[in-house]
């Protein structure tokens, strides 16, 4: 994987008076081994690439993509953008990023000592993890394991000074299981990753295997608890799931279009003083990036500090409209969203949290997010499962319950943030306790 000479594309675009003109190229090579119940199910080496360009002609935007490169790519791509511009939306050149010497900070996922793995070593690890999980509990009837090594390359340039390229590599894996007891199936799933070596990937997997098994076998013959309002601890994955919907309201475009409940709330308290959330695009994760979708350098900044809203997420378009500095969160078409977020952890353990709430519920998993959360009002009603907390200790498993309320109220009701940080989908968060949450059970 190497750089493409974009010069012929820009020359062709210039001849058609397509300006500004921007082109992006991405390619990846993924080696995957997957197993099922102790046997190799698939070994695959896949290559993917794409070439996308956009440009302005007579004030209209054209966008066109190719999924492969050939000797005719220059004509196909540029002519495609030109034709698309005839039917495109009205646009202005200011919405193309002009680089006046800005530097791109490197993300912390490209290590010089990265240890590339062979197909044989990937297969060996997948089978080893498969066997290890199978032995954990005799009720486990199905184990599916996948181990991946990925190399990727990205390049973006425009005729306004933008010029960026980056290579990355890493390992990822997943294990899913089904356990059965008396005809009742229970399933669970984990993912793990490493940007350094297969050995580190294995170590990260081993840290999660007990959690994987307990997330299935603990819930046999579990059932609902009494319907009422409880004190609760929310696991890191639950906090992340809810927070991802909450922060959508912080898009500057939503604010401009009067679709955000946090319009005109800058420098005001919008949630618990226990919450501090930072935009962290350089922190190691598969979401990390030095560049946003518009070519602007990403940046680290406080989104919420001690419950006070300090920043919205901006694109080029919204930063111009609101007359503020672009903070590198553009996601395309004037929209903006965070690259990666980190919730500041506390000093106490989650076990300390159980002692503090004394009697309540520990929510470990929620489902039905897309249908169960109103993205405009932030009202929610979500099926979930977890554990009862009795006398300050995690106790019996509970399932077939529903938590409901409003996310704005929920994040105001956070009483403590703990130190058990996990990363899910580019959001780093610990568990949090809330003073009250409505649970519908029996």
């Amino acid at each position: 994987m190497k750089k493409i000479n974009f010069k012929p594309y820009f020359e062709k675009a210039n001849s058609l008076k397509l300006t500004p003109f921007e082109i992006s190229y991405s390619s990846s090579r993924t080696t995957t081994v997957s197993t099922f119940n102790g046997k190799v199910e698939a070994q695959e080496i896949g290559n993917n690439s794409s070439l996308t360009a956009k440009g302005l002609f007579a004030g209209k935007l054209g966008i066109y993509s190719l999924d492969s490169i050939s000797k005719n790519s220059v004509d196909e791509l540029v002519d495609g953008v030109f034709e698309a511009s005839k039917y495109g939306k009205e646009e202005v050149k200011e919405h193309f990023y002009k680089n006046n010497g800005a530097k791109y900070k490197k993300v912390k996922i490209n290590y010089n000592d990265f240890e590339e793995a062979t197909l044989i070593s990937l297969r060996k690890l997948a089978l080893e993890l498969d066997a290890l999980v199978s032995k954990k509990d005799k009720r486990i009837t199905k184990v599916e394991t996948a181990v991946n090594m990925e190399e990727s390359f990205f390049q973006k340039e425009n005729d306004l000074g933008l010029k960026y390229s980056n290579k990355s590599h890493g390992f990822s894996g997943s294990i899913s299981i089904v356990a059965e007891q008396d005809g009742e199936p229970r399933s669970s799933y984990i993912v793990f990753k490493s940007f350094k070596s297969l050995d580190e990937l294995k170590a990260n997997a081993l840290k999660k295997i007990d959690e994987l098994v307990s997330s299935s076998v603990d819930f046999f013959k579990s059932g609902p608890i009494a319907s009422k309002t409880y004190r609760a601890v929310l696991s890191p994955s639950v906090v992340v799931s809810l927070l991802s919907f909450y922060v959508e309201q912080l898009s500057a475009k939503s604010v401009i279009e009067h679709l955000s409940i946090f319009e005109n709330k800058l420098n005001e308290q919008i949630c618990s003083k226990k919450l501090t959330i930072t935009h962290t695009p350089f922190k190691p994760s598969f979401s990390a990036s030095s560049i946003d979708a518009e070519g602007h350098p990403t940046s680290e900044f406080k989104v919420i500090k001690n419950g006070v809203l300090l920043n919205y997420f901006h694109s080029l378009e919204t930063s111009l409209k609101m007359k503020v500095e672009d903070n590198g969160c553009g996601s395309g078409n004037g929209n903006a969203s965070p690259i990666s977020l980190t919730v500041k952890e506390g000093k106490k353990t989650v076990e300390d949290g159980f002692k503090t709430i004394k009697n309540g519920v520990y929510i470990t998993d929620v489902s039905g997010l897309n249908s169960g959360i109103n993205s405009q009002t932030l009202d929610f009603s979500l099926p979930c499962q977890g554990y009862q907390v009795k006398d300050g200790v995690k106790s019996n498993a509970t399932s077939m319950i529903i938590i409901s309320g409003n996310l704005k109220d929920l994040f105001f009701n956070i009483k403590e943030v703990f130190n058990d940080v996990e990363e899910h989908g580019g959001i780093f968060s610990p568990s949090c306790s809330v003073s009250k949450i409505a649970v519908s059970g029996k």
Side-chain angles (χ1 to χ4, degrees), residues 10 60-61 87 115 137 155 163 184 196 210 227 230 291 314 333 372 377 387 405 416:
F10 286 111
K60 288 191 174 183
L61 180 68
Y87 312 98
E115 299 174 19
D137 195 289
Q155 181 182 356
K163 194 170 186 178
E184 178 187 358
K196 290 186 176 181
D210 287 341
S227 298
Y230 288 86
I291 187 172
H314 280 285
N333 199 31
T377 66
Y387 298 85
E416 199 68 61

Side-chain angles (χ1 to χ4, degrees), residues 196-215:
K196 290 186 176 181
S197 68
L198 208 57
D199 286 340
E200 185 180 75
L201 183 73
K202 176 182 175 179
N204 292 339
L206 294 177
K207 292 175 185 177
K208 293 188 172 186
I209 285 179
D210 287 341
E211 173 192 339
L212 169 73
V213 175
S214 63
S215 294

